[in-house]
């Protein structure tokens, strides 16, 4: 299947030519060769110039400078001369992409490019988690099937894998997990000789672009593969089995990064089965992989998914903190806990998980989701960088100086991960604009100071070339897309008003009487979850002043009001509107804005490639209609609950 | 897989022996041989006597008496002598089963059996519709997988098929459709040489017990099998294709009864695609099969399954009548319309479909469902004969004398069909007590005058032998089971408060915002559908006085009140209770009664086979718990809508 080049299109830039550029590289090696290839491809594409290797000094020089951080780079360009240095070859590669990005943003002749940029990555781990199943399907995949697996085989499509690795490296992503965290069936066998040859190819192809391969593993592998009677992490036989397994795996895959583990979560096996702690489980694996520099990433998505909806005391939001905070400091050096950005599960709006700020002696990765499971499934546009920006800027007040999430994920063993949004669709991400989330997540993980506006602009320019109408319209749409999506879906942070299982489309009571612990408690007297001290007191998992801020409806940020409080429909927001009228207004507005997106996209027809326009037109048309469905279902639901019509007399279906 | 004998167990009856009985049969043939075999098996099992064939006269004589109706029989027994006559060999076979039934009910020594019974079937067509898919699954199957199909092959398990045919014949069922009405994939090929050899075996095995084989066919078969560009029933090429197909099919399967067709229904192809009527479609097929005595059964389940929930004018209940009434009298002699008992889809309570009474010049089969799709899915006990009895007794007032459903389905080309509830489970029907519905439907279709009490008693005696504690307890449970299930599920005839797709368990708004046309419109001001003249006026599809009866909330039968009317929660029922309090009360009562069923069944442990008890105990325990789930979800939903607590202060979860 053919596919687009996304933001690596290197479309020719009008008005700036030079026939020949020389390129000198001080050292050799696979990664540096990839850097040279990319630079050549980029400059040739952009300028139409031929790029030739020079022996000594050239117009451009690439060099490793051990004075820089390993994945840091320094690029200086002026008057047609450019020097790119990196702390390692990977740093050089990142510098190359930085230059190519700057060239496109400046859009001027080569001699006029001016750049003075030195960057070090904001965090060490910048990962993607693919939830690809070995049958070829993708859990929460909205862009076709897997390009890693099909019918229990590992595919080695060197061209596509290479292009994917180039995309990842271009934005600073340095690790991927290729298989679903729910490890079942054939995927359990990934750490056996059945798949080593293909995986070795993956480590080679990815490694050339500084991307480490990780694998999700099944905690019960000693039973399923080894025939042991248990997977008890405190059983010496189990540890021995994992030690032998690690020796075997790293002998075959010396470049492997490590394992990702979803344990005791939504039915997956884990240490709780044996009365052990999550630390017992993670440390046992960490001990096994330690001799090989292996790394264990352990997910914190542990909660009771068999809750009784009648039970209003139990609060799923509290679960992660309660399970992991008591273990702070007990994890081995090569363990990192992976914590979802919010305490629930990737809703369009959640508070930041308090666990992120409270762990002080434990490595952490904050997990985001660019697979748009709850944010329109890549049929609605929802550019997530404004949301991630807010998360990174949130100060959890657990450090004397800077307790922002961005600060907390600095340093060794820490980082950011995202559930990936790619598949084998022609455009990689289903919705063409969803690629902005892949690009943006990578950029933000490498440089947590970037603004969503900047990222969107970079991505648009590199994807569509110099195309002012497209750039302007789509930039506005991208920047409005998350607030608009939030408007026409679940209100004021309450979340979860979606169809169960597939999670697409409105269903207000969809999870209300379920076992999943995600309720909105909409009743005759109001809606929202009381997480203040009169309720589950989840708010006191936060440090002060956040705890008090969230504990009072008066001070709670309004976008999270119903996440923390159960309030009457006639409660007045700061706007002076009642909650009910706010729901009506935002839903009318959101649907109107979605319609305006569609109209704006229609105007881009003359400026877009035919196939790209056709894809965009279809998705925006669907979004426009589906936003009306959201609006009407939500509004009717609350009208039926309250009997109070819209204050402005708009149509709410009875 | 082994399986139980259900009501053909012929368990030895204590206290009545005779060493030897002689059996004389005047004529030969497959069906008579089956009748002799069954009589021998029955009497040997029950009495321990050997049954030997006699040349001239015996203790028992079997004979064909052309003075009787074809499937009628006459049995006389007295002082150890018995004569069984039938209008055809099938009538004789039915007489044999009548004798064996009577023997077990009388439970006395052979010489004391006294019987004087002459019966003719109430209707000509007494069918089962199996919704078995060729992959082996069963749509709406709750008793395992198909015993007809597996992995696109037709299974020929002669033993099980024979035993199934015996069960069918024992209750008077004379036709089955073995494949799902949704004909897709391999099933389209059932009318091709790929499957003729196996199907011929079916016609032989079933034919020995007087059961005709029918097949569901794909209306688009001329395209899918024949490569024609259309399936337009008015296209001469299409008719020609079907004529050739019929010639081929009946040459291979001369005993085939005919075809069942689901057209223009829930996405299936049909004549509407070509702007033709349902009569055009049915008559074209009827013309093709007519030379071979073939019969077309054409389903009337035609409605718009793409409705907009906002559209309160369109009423799915009206659809069947509107589509078919204008065509009355236009169908060929060998066409029968199959009409579901109610206008919606097998809910626990619906009015009788007005189409049943209004068609005057068209053959009809009334379709029931013993597969418990909406009545507990064979995990809850729900004996449906009391419900079917009410339906048969409903007088639609469209005939001067007797307009009951039972009267309307008499005569040539008419009858009753049921969606079957069997599968390859050991006990055939998943829940052991669900077999009472299979037994009961057959008995009722042969003799529409039978009482549910009588049928339950017959079934219990033949299934469990003489076992007074079991008989007494289970008879009470069976007779209460439908009213109890109705109590704890959707109230007052409104229906549809189930989880979408699989239809199990409560979900009050599950279909409320869907495209399926099945809504309850529960709002702040009340609930129910206005089908009176102020609403869809569906009630005027009925003749007077029914139309007026249903049109007024004051006269509408209360069990259908919310089917016909949207009423406030404080509307007073004849009991003096408000609708809301009625909902609360019935839900508390229903759950209590389900708990009482469980307790009662526990007491049967000493009197039941261990495996049977274990199965019953597990199902009743589940029902008890699941009835509480129903109670609580429904009660909480309406409490949240109204804010009005239970008048008796019982717990309703907030």
């Amino acid at each position: 299947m053919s596919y687009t080049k996304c933001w690596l299109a290197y479309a020719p830039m009008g008005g700036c030519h030079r026939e020949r550029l020389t390129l000198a590289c001080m050292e050799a090696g696979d990664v540096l060769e990839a850097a040279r290839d990319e630079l050549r491809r980029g400059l040739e594409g952009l300028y139409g110039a031929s790029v030739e290797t020079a022996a000594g000094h050239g117009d451009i020089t690439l060099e490793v400078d051990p004075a820089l951080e390993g994945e840091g780079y320094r690029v200086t360009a002026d008057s047609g001369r450019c020097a790119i240095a990196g702390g390692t070859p990977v740093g050089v590669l990142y510098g190359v992409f930085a230059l190519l990005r700057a060239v496109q943003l400046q859009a001027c002749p080569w001699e006029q490019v001016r750049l003075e940029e030195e960057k070090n990555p904001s965090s060490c781990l910048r990962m993607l988690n693919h939830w690809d199943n070995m049958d070829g399907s993708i859990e929460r995949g909205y862009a076709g099937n897997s390009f890693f697996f099909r019918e229990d085989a590992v595919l080695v499509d060197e061209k596509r894998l290479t292009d994917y690795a180039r995309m990842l490296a271009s934005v600073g992503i340095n690790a991927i997990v290729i298989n679903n965290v729910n490890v079942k069936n054939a995927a359990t066998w990934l750490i056996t000789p059945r798949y080593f040859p293909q995986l070795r190819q993956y480590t080679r192809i990815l490694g050339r672009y500084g991307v480490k391969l990780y694998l999700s593993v099944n905690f019960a592998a000693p039973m399923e593969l080894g025939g042991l009677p248990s997977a008890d992490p405190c059983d010496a036989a189990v540890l021995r089995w994992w030690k032998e397994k690690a020796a075997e795996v790293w002998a075959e895959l010396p470049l492997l990064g490590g394992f990702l583990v979803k344990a005791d979560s939504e039915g997956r096996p884990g240490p709780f089965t044996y009365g052990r702690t999550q630390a017992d489980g993670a440390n046992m694996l960490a001990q096994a992989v330690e001799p090989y520099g292996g790394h264990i990433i352990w997910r914190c998505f542990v909660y009771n998914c068999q809750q009784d909806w009648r039970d209003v005391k139990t609060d799923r939001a509290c679960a992660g903190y309660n399970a992991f905070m008591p273990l702070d400091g007990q994890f081995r050096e090569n363990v990192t806990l992976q914590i979802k950005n919010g305490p629930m599960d990737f809703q369009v709006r959640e508070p930041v998980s308090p666990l992120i700020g409270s762990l002080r002696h434990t490595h952490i990765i904050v997990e985001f989701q660019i697979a748009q499971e709850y944010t329109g499934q890549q049929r609605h546009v929802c550019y997530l960088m404004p949301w991630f920006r807010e998360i990174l800027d949130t100060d959890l007040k657990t450090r004397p100086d800077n307790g922002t999430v961005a600060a907390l994920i600095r340093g060794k063993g820490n980082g950011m991960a995202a559930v990936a949004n790619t598949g084998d669709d022609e455009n990689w991400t289903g919705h063409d604009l969803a690629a902005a989330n892949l690009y943006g997540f990578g950029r933000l993980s490498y440089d947590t100071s970037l603004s969503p506006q900047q990222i969107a602009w970079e991505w648009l320019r590199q994807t569509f070339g110099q195309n002012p109408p497209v750039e302007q319209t789509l930039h506005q749409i991208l920047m409005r897309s998350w607030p608009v999506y939030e408007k026409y879906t679940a209100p004021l942070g309450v979340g979860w008003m979606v169809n169960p299982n597939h999670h697409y489309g409105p269903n207000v009571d969809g999870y209300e009487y379920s076992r999943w612990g995600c309720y909105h408690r909409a009743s005759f007297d109001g809606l929202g979850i009381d997480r203040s001290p009169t309720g589950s007191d989840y708010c006191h998992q936060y440090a002060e002043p956040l705890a008090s801020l969230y504990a009072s409806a008066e001070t709670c940020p309004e976008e999270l009001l119903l996440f923390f409080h159960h309030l009457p429909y006639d409660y007045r927001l700061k706007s002076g509107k009642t909650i009910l009228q706010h729901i009506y207004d935002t839903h009318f507005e959101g649907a109107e804005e979605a319609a305006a997106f569609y109209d704006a996209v229609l105007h881009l027809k003359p400026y877009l490639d035919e196939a790209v326009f056709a894809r965009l037109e279809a998705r925006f048309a669907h979004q426009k209609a589906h936003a009306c469905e959201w609006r009407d279902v939500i509004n009717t639901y609350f009208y039926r609950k309250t009997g109070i019509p819209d204050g402005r007399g708009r149509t709410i279906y009875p």
Side-chain angles (χ1 to χ4, degrees), chain A:
Chain A
M1 195 190 281
S2 71
Y3 51 86
T4 68
K5 294 177 177 174
C6 282
W7 60 88
L8 298 183
Y10 302 130
M13 300 194 301
C16 37
H17 295 291
R18 187 166 141 158
E19 278 192 14
R20 185 170 168 278
L21 290 170
T22 56
L23 168 60
C25 186
M26 304 294 117
E27 285 162 83
D30 279 354
V31 177
L32 285 169
E33 195 185 305
R36 277 201 310 272
D37 288 351
E38 194 65 32
L39 192 58
R40 189 179 299 118
R41 187 187 286 114
L43 293 178
E44 289 184 354
L46 294 167
Y47 288 122
S50 76
V51 178
E52 290 164 22
T53 306
H57 289 276
D59 297 321
I60 308 167
T61 57
L62 305 183
E63 67 179 328
V64 172
D65 175 357
L68 290 164
E69 276 189 30
E71 293 177 321
Y73 65 84
R74 183 181 58 236
V75 184
T76 54
D78 192 11
S79 309
R81 308 283 289 184
C82 174
I84 301 175
T88 59
V90 172
V92 174
L93 177 65
Y94 289 174
V96 164
F97 282 112
L99 174 68
L100 291 169
R101 186 161 55 234
V103 160
Q104 291 175 81
L105 296 180
Q106 295 181 25
C108 57
W110 170 250
E111 286 77 9
Q112 292 171 28
V113 171
R114 290 182 58 91
L115 186 62
E116 191 76 51
E117 182 171 298
E118 183 170 334
K119 289 276 183 189
N120 289 309
S122 301
S123 66
C124 294
L125 294 163
R126 306 178 301 279
M127 305 191 75
L128 289 182
N129 289 184
H130 288 271
W131 288 355
D132 290 26
N133 299 314
M134 291 198 65
D135 63 4
S137 66
I138 302 178
E139 185 168 330
R140 312 309 177 187
Y142 312 108
N145 291 315
S146 177
F147 50 84
F148 301 137
F149 307 116
R150 189 183 307 148
E151 291 175 7
D152 291 350
V154 176
L155 306 174
V156 186
D157 177 344
E158 178 136 3
K159 172 86 174 68
R160 188 152 188 155
L161 288 177
T162 299
D163 282 340
Y164 190 53
R166 291 172 52 225
M167 285 163 64
L168 301 182
S170 76
V171 291
I173 288 168
N174 66 357
I176 64 172
V177 188
I178 57 172
N179 64 310
N180 191 349
V181 289
N182 293 312
V183 185
K184 295 176 197 167
N185 309 323
T188 301
W189 293 80
L190 278 172
I191 51 171
T192 70
R194 194 189 287 178
Y195 297 111
F196 289 146
Q198 298 91 322
L199 294 177
R200 196 154 47 239
Q201 304 231 57
Y202 271 59
T203 60
R204 174 181 60 77
I205 295 167
L206 297 171
R208 202 160 169 257
Y209 290 88
V211 178
K212 277 220 160 163
L213 177 72
Y214 280 67
L215 297 172
S216 296
V217 296
N218 184 341
F219 192 79
M223 301 163 75
E224 294 193 27
L225 298 179
L228 298 194
S230 110
D232 181 354
C234 299
D235 178 337
V238 170
L239 174 61
R240 191 161 56 243
W241 187 88
W242 277 111
K243 281 184 164 174
E244 286 165 12
K245 177 52 69 181
E248 178 193 4
V249 167
W250 266 271
E252 295 281 344
L253 306 171
L255 298 176
L256 189 74
F259 298 146
L260 173 64
V261 190
K262 176 176 180 176
D264 291 315
S265 175
E266 298 180 335
R268 304 311 304 147
F272 283 169
T273 308
Y274 310 98
R276 312 301 182 184
T277 69
Q278 298 294 301
D280 292 332
N283 288 336
M284 180 274 293
L285 288 175
Q287 196 183 338
V289 304
E290 194 276 335
Y292 318 100
H295 181 203
I296 299 299
I297 301 178
W298 191 267
R299 289 175 103 237
C300 295
F301 193 48
V302 175
Y303 70 98
N304 173 15
C305 66
Q306 297 288 346
Q307 187 175 336
D308 189 324
W309 60 269
R310 302 166 187 84
D311 168 10
V312 294
K313 302 281 176 230
T314 301
D315 181 4
R316 171 170 159 182
C318 299
Y321 184 98
N322 288 342
F324 286 91
M325 261 315 288
L327 305 174
D328 190 23
Q330 295 181 27
F331 292 94
R332 296 175 78 102
E333 179 56 28
N334 60 333
V335 172
T336 295
L337 296 188
Q338 181 163 306
I339 308 168
K340 295 198 185 202
N341 63 273
M344 298 298 283
D345 188 18
F346 300 135
Q347 298 304 290
V348 68
R349 175 80 70 170
E350 292 186 38
V352 172
S353 171
L355 189 60
I356 293 169
S358 299
L359 291 170
R360 286 163 178 276
H361 311 290
T362 305
H363 300 311
I364 60 165
I365 292 183
V366 177
E367 182 179 343
F368 297 82
Q369 191 186 41
I370 55 174
Q372 291 172 231
E373 178 176 359
Y374 296 98
T375 51
Q377 301 198 353
Q378 290 149 246
R379 302 181 73 187
H380 296 233
V381 61
C382 194
Y383 175 57
L384 293 163
M385 295 316 113
W387 172 217
F388 296 174
R389 175 80 268 142
E390 284 194 28
I391 293 165
L392 290 168
D393 286 344
T394 300
D395 192 329
L396 289 160
K397 303 293 183 188
T398 54
R399 301 293 190 278
D401 49 343
N402 182 349
T404 62
V405 173
L408 295 167
I409 58 175
R410 284 185 204 128
K412 188 160 174 296
N414 297 331
M416 286 169 68
V419 182
N421 63 352
T422 52
D424 70 358
D425 271 4
E426 184 186 356
N427 64 353
W428 297 85
T429 54
H431 200 308
D432 281 70
L433 301 192
N437 286 325
L438 178 59
Y439 179 89
F441 169 77
R443 290 286 289 139
L444 207 51
S445 71
Y446 189 87
D447 182 354
T448 54
S449 73
L450 287 173
S451 75
Q453 290 86 347
Q454 167 72 16
I455 293 170
W457 182 55
E458 288 178 9
W459 177 77
L460 285 163
R461 174 62 62 91
Q462 292 171 83
T463 301
F464 295 101
Q466 282 177 276
N467 193 334
V470 167
E471 215 165 275
Q472 206 171 350
T473 298
L474 294 185
H475 197 276
Q476 282 171 3
I477 288 176
L478 286 173
M479 288 307 299
R480 284 300 301 157
S481 60
W482 172 60
V484 165
Y485 192 81
E486 185 176 23
K487 276 188 177 188
Y488 60 72
T489 55
L492 297 166
V494 76
W496 294 113
M497 294 179 172
V498 293
N499 282 301
N501 307 320
H502 62 69
H503 297 162
Y504 195 67
N507 185 338
V508 182
D509 275 358
Y511 274 109
E512 197 54 19
Y513 300 91
S514 79
R515 64 182 175 86
W516 294 96
C518 37
Y519 314 111
H520 54 66
R521 309 286 187 197
S523 189
F524 66 96
D525 67 344
L527 82 158
I529 318 299
D530 185 1
R531 293 185 164 113
S532 80
T534 58
S536 72
D537 204 22
Y538 161 77
C539 64
H540 277 94
Q541 290 188 348
Y542 292 91
E544 290 296 355
L546 282 183
S548 297
L549 188 87
Y550 291 144
S552 157
E554 296 307 307
T555 53
C556 182
E558 285 193 338
E559 67 274 14
L560 290 169
L561 194 57
L562 299 177
F563 188 94
F564 283 103
H565 299 280
H566 186 85
L567 294 170
Y569 296 104
D570 59 1
Y571 180 89
R572 295 267 164 199
L573 300 175
K574 294 182 180 55
S575 62
K577 291 179 188 177
T578 63
I579 284 179
L580 184 70
Q581 190 59 44
H582 174 87
I583 292 173
Y584 291 160
D585 284 350
T586 50
H587 284 77
F588 282 114
E589 288 160 20
E592 274 165 29
E593 288 195 70
F597 288 171
Y598 176 70
D599 294 341
V601 166
L602 284 189
H603 285 101
L604 298 181
K605 188 168 185 185
Y607 310 104
L608 283 170
D609 170 87
E610 205 172 315
V612 173
F613 176 78
R615 285 197 300 261
L616 286 177
E617 196 272 336
R619 303 247 165 183
F620 277 98
H622 171 76
Q623 178 175 6
K624 175 182 171 176
H626 202 235
C628 292
E629 180 72 7
W630 268 102
R631 174 196 67 198
D632 291 338
V633 170
I634 300 275
N635 284 351
T636 294
Y637 180 92
F638 286 107
Y639 174 66
R640 289 187 178 186
K641 265 292 195 292
T642 63
I644 302 171
D646 174 42
R648 292 173 52 193
R650 290 162 293 191
T651 299
I652 295 180
Y653 296 88

